[in-house]
Amino acid sequence: MVNGRRGVEPCTVDGCDRLIFAKDWCKKHYDRNWTHGNPETKLKTGPKSWPTPEEFFWEKVEVGGPDDCWIWTGVITKRKDRKGVGYGRFQTGGKSYLVHRFSYALVHALEPYTPVHHKCANTLCVNPKHLQATTTQENTAEMMERQWYLKRIADLEAQLAACKCG
Protein backbone atom coordinates (compact mmCIF):
# COMPACT_ATOMS: atom_id res chain seq x y z
CA MET A 1 0.00 0.00 0.00
CA VAL A 2 1.64 3.25 -1.11
CA ASN A 3 0.42 6.71 -0.16
CA GLY A 4 -2.30 5.38 2.12
CA ARG A 5 -4.87 7.68 3.55
CA ARG A 6 -3.82 9.50 6.70
CA GLY A 7 -5.78 8.50 9.81
CA VAL A 8 -7.78 5.90 7.94
CA GLU A 9 -5.48 3.06 6.87
CA PRO A 10 -3.03 1.15 9.09
CA CYS A 11 0.74 1.67 9.19
CA THR A 12 2.67 -0.37 6.61
CA VAL A 13 5.19 -1.74 9.16
CA ASP A 14 4.47 -5.44 9.79
CA GLY A 15 2.58 -6.03 13.02
CA CYS A 16 1.69 -2.35 13.57
CA ASP A 17 -2.03 -1.58 13.70
CA ARG A 18 -1.73 2.17 14.28
CA LEU A 19 -3.17 4.53 11.68
CA ILE A 20 -1.02 6.32 9.09
CA PHE A 21 0.48 9.64 10.10
CA ALA A 22 2.76 10.34 7.08
CA LYS A 23 4.55 8.40 4.30
CA ASP A 24 2.47 5.28 5.05
CA TRP A 25 3.80 5.08 8.62
CA CYS A 26 2.21 5.78 11.98
CA LYS A 27 3.70 8.60 14.08
CA LYS A 28 6.00 6.20 15.99
CA HIS A 29 7.51 4.67 12.85
CA TYR A 30 7.65 8.01 11.03
CA ASP A 31 9.66 9.48 13.94
CA ARG A 32 11.98 6.47 14.03
CA ASN A 33 12.64 6.85 10.30
CA TRP A 34 13.29 10.58 10.75
CA THR A 35 15.65 10.06 13.69
CA HIS A 36 17.40 6.78 12.80
CA GLY A 37 16.85 6.42 9.03
CA ASN A 38 14.79 3.25 9.42
CA PRO A 39 11.16 3.01 10.59
CA GLU A 40 11.78 -0.44 12.08
CA THR A 41 14.70 0.52 14.32
CA LYS A 42 14.35 -1.17 17.72
CA LEU A 43 14.94 1.21 20.60
CA LYS A 44 16.29 0.21 23.99
CA THR A 45 13.57 0.11 26.58
CA GLY A 46 13.40 -0.51 30.29
CA PRO A 47 14.37 1.37 33.41
CA LYS A 48 17.39 3.64 33.40
CA SER A 49 20.41 2.17 35.08
CA TRP A 50 21.44 4.46 37.95
CA PRO A 51 24.58 3.84 39.96
CA THR A 52 23.85 2.91 43.54
CA PRO A 53 24.30 5.80 45.96
CA GLU A 54 27.34 4.03 47.47
CA GLU A 55 29.01 3.63 44.05
CA PHE A 56 28.38 7.26 43.17
CA PHE A 57 29.60 8.46 46.58
CA TRP A 58 32.93 6.58 46.53
CA GLU A 59 33.72 7.77 42.98
CA LYS A 60 33.91 11.34 44.33
CA VAL A 61 35.90 10.80 47.54
CA GLU A 62 39.68 11.19 47.95
CA VAL A 63 40.36 8.67 50.70
CA GLY A 64 43.46 9.33 52.80
CA GLY A 65 44.75 7.56 55.87
CA PRO A 66 42.34 6.30 58.53
CA ASP A 67 42.76 9.46 60.63
CA ASP A 68 43.05 11.94 57.73
CA CYS A 69 40.23 13.99 56.26
CA TRP A 70 38.64 12.21 53.30
CA ILE A 71 37.81 14.98 50.88
CA TRP A 72 34.65 15.15 48.77
CA THR A 73 35.55 16.15 45.18
CA GLY A 74 32.04 16.34 43.72
CA VAL A 75 29.41 19.09 43.76
CA ILE A 76 29.58 21.56 46.63
CA THR A 77 26.73 23.78 47.80
CA LYS A 78 27.36 27.50 48.11
CA ARG A 79 27.18 29.05 51.53
CA LYS A 80 24.65 31.83 51.98
CA ASP A 81 27.23 34.18 53.49
CA ARG A 82 29.64 33.38 50.59
CA LYS A 83 32.47 32.86 53.08
CA GLY A 84 34.18 29.51 53.36
CA VAL A 85 33.14 26.33 51.63
CA GLY A 86 29.67 24.81 51.57
CA TYR A 87 28.75 21.15 51.91
CA GLY A 88 29.14 18.27 49.49
CA ARG A 89 25.97 17.04 47.82
CA PHE A 90 25.08 14.42 45.20
CA GLN A 91 22.00 13.12 43.48
CA THR A 92 21.35 9.72 41.96
CA GLY A 93 18.25 7.66 41.32
CA GLY A 94 16.07 10.72 41.84
CA LYS A 95 17.24 11.26 45.45
CA SER A 96 19.52 13.97 46.82
CA TYR A 97 22.09 13.41 49.58
CA LEU A 98 24.37 15.55 51.75
CA VAL A 99 27.65 13.66 51.67
CA HIS A 100 28.67 14.02 55.31
CA ARG A 101 25.29 12.66 56.43
CA PHE A 102 25.49 9.87 53.84
CA SER A 103 29.01 8.90 54.99
CA TYR A 104 27.98 8.84 58.64
CA ALA A 105 24.88 6.77 57.80
CA LEU A 106 27.04 4.15 56.01
CA VAL A 107 28.67 3.33 59.36
CA HIS A 108 26.12 4.35 62.01
CA ALA A 109 22.35 4.37 62.30
CA LEU A 110 21.07 7.87 61.60
CA GLU A 111 17.61 9.15 62.35
CA PRO A 112 16.08 11.54 59.80
CA TYR A 113 16.80 15.24 60.45
CA THR A 114 19.57 14.49 62.96
CA PRO A 115 22.40 17.02 62.51
CA VAL A 116 25.82 15.55 61.74
CA HIS A 117 28.75 17.61 62.98
CA HIS A 118 32.28 17.79 61.52
CA LYS A 119 34.67 17.41 64.46
CA CYS A 120 37.53 18.42 62.17
CA ALA A 121 35.73 21.64 61.05
CA ASN A 122 36.27 20.68 57.38
CA THR A 123 32.88 20.74 55.66
CA LEU A 124 34.23 18.67 52.74
CA CYS A 125 35.46 15.86 55.00
CA VAL A 126 33.50 12.59 54.81
CA ASN A 127 35.66 10.41 57.06
CA PRO A 128 33.16 8.79 59.47
CA LYS A 129 35.75 9.12 62.29
CA HIS A 130 35.52 12.90 61.89
CA LEU A 131 31.70 13.00 61.97
CA GLN A 132 29.38 12.95 64.94
CA ALA A 133 25.60 12.99 65.30
CA THR A 134 24.50 15.82 67.57
CA THR A 135 21.41 17.67 68.62
CA THR A 136 20.49 20.90 66.89
CA GLN A 137 21.40 22.85 70.03
CA GLU A 138 24.84 21.21 70.32
CA ASN A 139 25.56 21.80 66.66
CA THR A 140 24.62 25.48 66.88
CA ALA A 141 26.60 26.00 70.12
CA GLU A 142 29.72 24.41 68.61
CA MET A 143 29.40 26.54 65.48
CA MET A 144 29.05 29.75 67.53
CA GLU A 145 32.03 28.79 69.70
CA ARG A 146 34.18 28.10 66.62
CA GLN A 147 33.19 31.45 65.06
CA TRP A 148 34.10 33.27 68.30
CA TYR A 149 37.43 31.42 68.41
CA LEU A 150 38.30 32.29 64.80
CA LYS A 151 37.30 35.93 65.36
CA ARG A 152 39.51 36.07 68.48
CA ILE A 153 42.51 34.70 66.51
CA ALA A 154 41.93 37.27 63.75
CA ASP A 155 41.76 40.06 66.34
CA LEU A 156 45.01 38.92 67.99
CA GLU A 157 46.76 38.70 64.61
CA ALA A 158 45.56 42.22 63.78
CA GLN A 159 46.89 43.50 67.13
CA LEU A 160 50.23 41.78 66.54
CA ALA A 161 50.48 43.27 63.05
CA ALA A 162 49.62 46.76 64.40
CA CYS A 163 52.23 46.43 67.15
CA LYS A 164 55.60 47.34 65.76
CA CYS A 165 57.44 45.41 68.38
CA GLY A 166 59.82 42.67 67.52
Side-chain angles (χ1 to χ4, degrees), residues 20-165:
I20 290 176
F21 169 75
K23 295 192 175 186
D24 293 337
W25 296 310
C26 65
K27 175 76 168 127
K28 176 177 95 172
H29 291 110
Y30 176 81
D31 288 347
R32 286 184 182 178
N33 185 65
W34 176 262
T35 305
H36 304 287
N38 181 351
E40 298 187 39
T41 298
K42 300 289 184 197
L43 303 178
K44 293 180 183 177
T45 59
K48 289 185 177 178
S49 175
W50 298 98
T52 66
E54 290 85 2
E55 292 169 340
F56 193 90
F57 173 78
W58 289 114
E59 287 176 7
K60 305 287 184 185
V61 175
E62 276 184 17
V63 178
D67 295 325
D68 296 337
C69 285
W70 299 353
I71 304 300
W72 174 254
T73 61
V75 173
I76 301 167
T77 62
K78 292 182 181 175
R79 288 192 44 168
K80 291 178 185 173
D81 61 5
R82 298 178 189 231
K83 295 178 185 173
V85 178
Y87 292 89
R89 176 179 289 275
F90 73 95
Q91 184 173 340
T92 184
K95 292 185 179 180
S96 183
Y97 303 91
L98 284 169
V99 296
H100 64 290
R101 290 181 53 80
F102 185 82
S103 176
Y104 186 85
L106 287 175
V107 178
H108 308 284
L110 183 62
E111 295 292 323
Y113 309 110
T114 302
V116 175
H117 164 73
H118 289 88
K119 294 188 280 186
C120 60
N122 181 352
T123 58
L124 297 182
C125 179
V126 295
N127 184 341
K129 288 184 175 182
H130 295 191
L131 302 172
Q132 175 182 8
T134 63
T135 65
T136 304
Q137 294 81 7
E138 290 170 336
N139 197 30
T140 302
E142 191 283 328
M143 178 189 65
M144 299 302 283
E145 183 179 322
R146 183 178 296 146
Q147 287 178 352
W148 176 86
Y149 179 73
L150 293 175
K151 184 180 180 313
R152 180 70 179 133
I153 289 173
D155 290 345
L156 289 172
E157 287 175 344
Q159 287 175 6
L160 185 60
C163 176
K164 296 190 172 135
C165 44

